[in-house]
Amino acid sequence: MADSPARVHELRNRIDVLDARLAGLLEDRARLAADVQRLKPVGGFAGRDAERERALVTAMAEHAPRLGGDRLARIMAAVIETGLEAAEEELRNAAG
């Protein structure tokens, strides 16, 4: 285990690269979700589609079995809510 600190450093660097990619993907998702919100007759939190969100989590769970549906549901709820908050803030700022 003499190389353990070097291995930890290497793994953390790989995590940092993934985190940067994840941040970019989350930004892209939030931008697209804001576009959708502007097109829906009822936007924001009132316009959430629980059935679509469940289907999204189910599909994602197939690609992330380590996380599973319950954990992904919590993650995606936070992603969706945060994106909606950002979209609503953008609308408020645009309105003046």
Side-chain angles (χ1 to χ4, degrees):
M1 288 253 179
D3 67 336
S4 183
R7 181 72 173 141
V8 168
H9 181 72
E10 173 194 343
L11 292 172
R12 285 182 174 164
N13 283 339
R14 291 175 60 190
I15 288 170
D16 291 346
V17 169
L18 286 173
D19 285 346
R21 288 176 42 202
L22 181 58
L25 290 171
L26 289 169
E27 177 67 18
D28 292 346
R29 189 192 193 290
R31 187 178 301 109
L32 287 169
D35 291 345
V36 168
Q37 291 304 309
R38 285 190 288 278
L39 297 173
K40 290 167 70 174
V42 177
F45 289 91
R48 286 182 73 171
D49 183 343
E51 184 176 326
R52 177 169 163 68
E53 291 178 25
R54 278 191 296 277
L56 167 74
V57 167
T58 298
M60 289 178 76
E62 292 180 20
H63 300 284
R66 179 180 300 254
L67 294 175
D70 290 342
R71 290 183 188 103
L72 282 169
R74 292 194 313 265
I75 292 166
M76 290 312 297
V79 167
I80 291 165
E81 290 168 10
T82 302
L84 289 172
E85 288 172 6
E88 289 181 351
E89 182 178 315
E90 289 172 12
L91 286 174
R92 282 192 306 273
N93 289 342

